[in-house]
Amino acid sequence: MNVQTTLSIKVKEAILNHFSVELPTVEFQPTRKDFEGDITVMVFPMLRFVKGNPVQIGQQIGEFLQKEVDAVSGFNVIQGFLNVVISDAYYLNFFKDIENTPYYGFASEQQKDAIMVEYSSPNTNKPLHLGHIRNNLLGYSVAEILKASGKKVYKTQIINDRGIHICKSMLAWQRFGNGETPESTGLKGDKLVGNYYVAFDKAYKQQVAQKIAGGIDPKVAEKEAPILLEAQEMLQKWEAGDKEVVALWKTMNGWVYKGFDVTYNNLGVDFDTLYYESDTYLLGKDVVEEGLQKGVFYRKDDGSVWIDLTDEGLDEKIVLRSDGTAVYMTQDIGTAIQRIKDYPDIEGMVYTVGNEQDYHFKVLFLILKKLGFSWSKNLHHLSYGMVDLPSGKMKSREGTVVDADDLMNDMTRTAAEISEELGKLEGYTENEKQDLYKMIGLGALKYYILKVDPKKRILFNPEESVDFQGNTGPFIQYTYARIQSILRKAEEIGVKGLETRTAQSGKHLEDEVSGLSMDSGSDTILVADNSPDLHPKEKELIKQLQLFPETVQLAAENLSPALIANYTYDLVKEFNSFYQQVSILGEQDELKKLLRVQLAKKVGQVIKSAFGLLGIEVPERM
RNA sequence: GGUCGCAUAGCUCAGCUGGAUAGAGCAUCUGCCUUCUAAGCAGACGGUCGGAGGUUCGAAUCCUCCUGCGAUCACCA
């Protein structure tokens, strides 16, 4: 039982004893730094139930707590705030408990029910850009956070591999490509295909301009440009299964996938299962038919099928065209149901999609609910704000995008410049250095994006490079590296009570976290009768460590990696302050020295765990 | 026009279910490297929390209205 729960019970008891009143709840908050104490009991809310002077009530509760609860070593009352001082022994005990917990902060038992997290889901006609990066980082991180909170998670994406957009690239390639391939040009496949998408747009605009110059109405010109008509024709051929078109489609999508794989790999994201729109775009029609029977949908005279959501404050929405073909909504209904069929343990889904589709998902979830699917109540749209440039929106066709690969390379290069200037990497091979630069550059980028509340839009200025100082990924990575440096030295000089086992630097977080865990045998020392007094900075650190598990849960509930990022920053700030103020290895008292080394080690583990949830790696040195 | 979201220091952002004097980073200025990594620490400067009402013992937080910005409202995806 944690202190807060104990205190809550005891506060109620105190009120019952003194006033014969049963309090429904007790409110707490961390004590502000400028007052003495660790946890503050709010007296004000009790005044609704207990008549009296808040200071006196606080005083009475305080006295009761001090007498009844071992962990309470003191208190003070200021206005309606009862500041409770928690004993060093309690914090030492707590730290002893978590010290050997390898997955500290992560839910120990996995729930049986699974949740599917969809993210990325790009079109296959152009390379990934900064907007996709935000999507990928959010989706990946939320999936990891959900896992840590005890959920079983499937990561997926639905790849938009068919439609007019890819036909445009295909047509332009046929027309202007001269048989170019990624191999012949040395270009990444997605880049090559993207170039033809741009080429299409250029040719299209020329044709439109020509028509307008010839006196044709602009709106008609836009619809009747020959190259557009050809693209539409190509799409029809594709749907009809035309061999030549399908073969080209497969080839060009194949190029794109190879390119995407490189980008995903560099970005460090992955998927457990993939869905392709070419497989799912016909799904959902039968469900619409069933819905018609049930009266959820209705058919208009022209044959199109609709749902009336005006009762819910929304509009009418089409779910099937008059010619019987599926719209986006039809597919999404079908795909959702298909996923449940494929993975029967799924009890909920998270869709990582930009906030421009808020309305779409509101409608989708409502339709699924009306169709009577029990899991519809566990559908979440992880809606995030757009990433805009100072010049405005990013537009692939106009070439105003920040390319994902370019951006990652730029970040790595900047990290390399800074690292080389600082010159702390003596003894590292060139490969090790490159890996480290990438780790730092990506750490900066990922943290920069993930620390912001998902629902807020991000203004990204490519001119002002992402910071490497202050509240940044590299700052946190640096602190981790510092801690590892201390731990290496601690082993060298042989700190008493510290196991000399070295941490394995495996690739997986799980391996490393458990690899880092300390052997037992040192625990009893901490709470011996003559326990050392805690330095205020040590106490603050333990308090911050204590918050990690609840932060993970909160982040999972809110689907917000930003909460993890901000927590980690606070922890690291606290550690650096501690590091600055007290000497760890220079401490004369062996017990204190051991405690500090162990604290540093635990902070390092939590940094690594937390950053793992953000998809950010941490270095041994930097 | 209807609906949804956002608005906090010069800039970028925190602020948990309402609680004490609204916090960080960047930028500007001051100190601190012969002691565990200065990508650091300590400090200064900087705010009518978009505006106006309301609820409450108490509002950046909840409600209403207004302003500004963004998104969305297609037999597009």
Side-chain angles (χ1 to χ4, degrees), chain A residues 492-504:
Chain A
E492 275 174 36
I493 63 173
V495 173
K496 221 167 103 187
L498 191 66
E499 270 289 324
T500 52
R501 196 147 53 112
T502 37
Q504 299 293 311

Side-chain angles (χ1 to χ4, degrees), chain A residues 12 54 101 157 215 275 298 308 328 336 381 386 402 416 418 509 585:
Chain A
K12 285 179 188 175
T101 310
Q157 60 172 328
Y275 286 85
Y298 66 94
D308 183 356
Y328 191 36
H381 175 202
M386 296 289 101
V402 175
I418 294 172
L509 174 72
L585 298 176

